Amino acid sequence: MEKKKVVTFGEIMLRLKPPGVERFLQSPTFEATFGGGEANVAVSLAQFGLQAHFVTALPSNPIADACLEELQRFGVDTGFVSRQGKRMGIYYLESGSNQRPSQVIYDRAGSSLAEAAEDAFDWDRILRGSDWFHFTGITPAISASAANHCRRALESARKLGVTVSCDYNYRKKLWQYGKGAPQVMRDLVRFVDVGIANEEDCEKALGIPIGQDVEGGRLAPARYRTTAERVLEEFPNLRRQAITLRESQSADTNGWSAVLHNREEFLHSRRYLISDIVDRVGGGDSFAAGLIFGLLSFGDSAALEFAAAASCLKHSIPGDFNRVKVHEVEALIQGGGSGRVLR
């Protein structure tokens, strides 16, 4: 059977992180890897056995070459990457511990994707024969130009009948070019079939009040039915709305689950208590990838469970990428998770 083709579009960055849970430059060392929302999704999908294509703009230099080689090593097709511009974005991550939160510092202004030329991407050619297109709210936040590229991709996807998903992913530090997130995102989400959000993205990215406490404590999944229904009502094009529920007890211990409204049912996944978190960055992306894979492979309920389990496992893996296979996710769903050595 031919593999499903999924295209993701966004920015991948050089990720620089102090060792372990050290503060910035506590040691004169940074661990250098790569990461970015849509690239993380593409890596997961390739690990799950799908035909994953990642589209971006990168400069022609050895660091960007190494980035593409890393993606290709995971099986991601980078044939549509546009080599232009002068720099690759960077983000610095300091991992929190216990009551000290993690923090991210961006250095991505003027990146190749932020300044990509109007004709950088031939979306009809890129999306022809695709089953799915995925982007996040991070990409249109980078620059007005990047938002325009998203709009052109979405217009092409609609014309070609490609299913579209969007993780709303509100990033306050990025919306700096004169337009607020709802002003841009509400227009783009009108092209989306499957919406993905965390507890506050619906409010911050779409301007839809949620009235939830996202700072801590146990979240009540049923309360998010109203939020999902409000989003579905305002965007009749949406066929499904998923919301991840993160209960942050500390930087090291989170409750994790998700809900999905498909206009007929309101589904709630199993809840995982994740302690001794290794790296939560990329957790939402691993959920999005799991949901895309699940919806292309199973029914809605099984897709939601697969997405929640895949993301749970990501919290045990350093780096942005979720390095797990389908059978590992299925083992957790079927009652694994004890952490016993497999021999």
Side-chain angles (χ1 to χ4, degrees):
M1 186 173 65
E2 186 177 357
K3 293 181 180 180
K4 298 289 187 180
K5 176 183 175 182
V6 181
V7 176
T8 75
F9 171 61
E11 183 167 53
I12 187 167
M13 295 165 288
L14 177 66
R15 164 178 149 155
L16 299 177
K17 177 189 171 298
V21 292
E22 290 186 10
R23 306 302 306 265
F24 286 129
L25 293 174
Q26 182 175 334
S27 299
T29 304
F30 279 122
E31 299 168 352
T33 55
F34 300 100
E38 297 88 350
N40 300 343
V41 171
V43 168
S44 279
L45 292 173
Q47 296 296 285
F48 296 153
L50 300 188
Q51 184 182 352
H53 295 251
F54 176 60
V55 182
T56 193
L58 286 171
S60 295
N61 64 39
I63 302 300
D65 292 344
C67 175
L68 293 179
E69 290 167 4
E70 180 74 351
L71 291 171
Q72 292 160 9
R73 187 169 70 85
F74 283 98
V76 175
D77 190 309
T78 60
F80 296 120
V81 172
S82 178
R83 305 303 298 270
Q84 60 178 272
K86 298 180 179 179
R87 72 179 302 251
M88 183 177 184
I90 301 171
Y91 88 92
Y92 300 85
L93 170 65
E94 181 182 276
S95 290
S97 180
N98 292 306
Q99 282 65 48
R100 176 170 60 84
S102 299
Q103 61 172 320
V104 169
I105 297 174
Y106 292 120
D107 178 15
R108 57 201 298 181
S111 68
S112 291
L113 184 61
E115 299 184 351
E118 186 173 340
D119 61 352
F121 310 105
D122 182 347
W123 287 110
D124 284 356
R125 182 171 70 92
I126 292 169
L127 292 173
R128 190 171 294 118
S130 298
D131 298 283
W132 202 288
F133 174 72
H134 177 76
F135 74 109
T136 77
I138 298 171
T139 304
I142 295 170
S143 67
S145 171
N148 289 336
H149 286 303
C150 287
R151 177 61 186 259
R152 295 189 190 99
L154 293 172
E155 290 171 349
S156 180
R158 174 169 288 183
K159 179 174 64 175
L160 295 172
V162 178
T163 299
V164 175
S165 59
C166 176
D167 188 334
Y168 306 148
N169 264 346
Y170 178 73
R171 297 291 185 268
K172 180 180 179 180
K173 294 180 180 179
L174 295 182
W175 288 98
Q176 301 294 328
Y177 61 89
K179 290 187 176 181
Q183 184 181 358
V184 176
M185 289 297 295
R186 290 183 67 89
D187 175 59
L188 298 179
V189 172
R190 299 189 192 286
F191 292 85
V192 172
D193 300 289
V194 179
I196 304 167
N198 67 16
E199 309 95 280
E200 59 181 351
D201 286 336
C202 296
E203 181 171 22
K204 302 293 186 180
L206 303 182
I208 299 174
I210 61 172
Q212 302 284 345
D213 173 17
V214 301
E215 292 300 322
R218 184 151 183 167
L219 302 175
R223 295 179 61 183
Y224 287 91
R225 181 170 193 150
T226 301
T227 300
E229 288 174 346
R230 189 172 300 174
V231 176
L232 292 171
E233 180 180 357
E234 293 205 23
F235 297 94
N237 50 287
L238 284 171
R239 300 203 302 264
R240 298 176 180 87
Q241 178 62 55
I243 302 174
T244 57
L245 310 182
R246 183 184 295 279
E247 302 158 5
S248 292
Q249 299 178 20
S250 72
D252 303 288
T253 302
N254 289 180
W256 181 255
S257 62
V259 297
L260 175 70
H261 202 311
N262 62 10
R263 295 189 177 273
E264 294 181 0
E265 296 179 283
F266 180 73
L267 305 169
H268 179 217
S269 78
R270 169 183 167 185
R271 177 181 180 271
Y272 297 92
L273 180 61
I274 309 172
S275 57
D276 301 315
I277 291 172
V278 172
D279 194 338
R280 60 172 276 182
V281 175
D285 304 321
S286 59
F287 174 86
L291 188 65
I292 292 168
F293 175 80
L295 292 174
L296 286 169
S297 308
F298 322 122
D300 285 12
S301 180
L304 181 64
E305 293 295 346
F306 188 92
S311 187
C312 174
L313 290 174
K314 166 61 191 75
H315 290 72
S316 69
I317 299 171
D320 270 49
F321 300 156
N322 194 17
R323 302 164 183 250
V324 299
K325 305 289 189 179
V326 171
H327 70 89
E328 295 175 299
V329 180
E330 291 178 338
L332 178 57
I333 294 170
Q334 293 164 10
S338 67
R340 294 185 63 184
V341 176
L342 300 178
R343 302 184 190 275

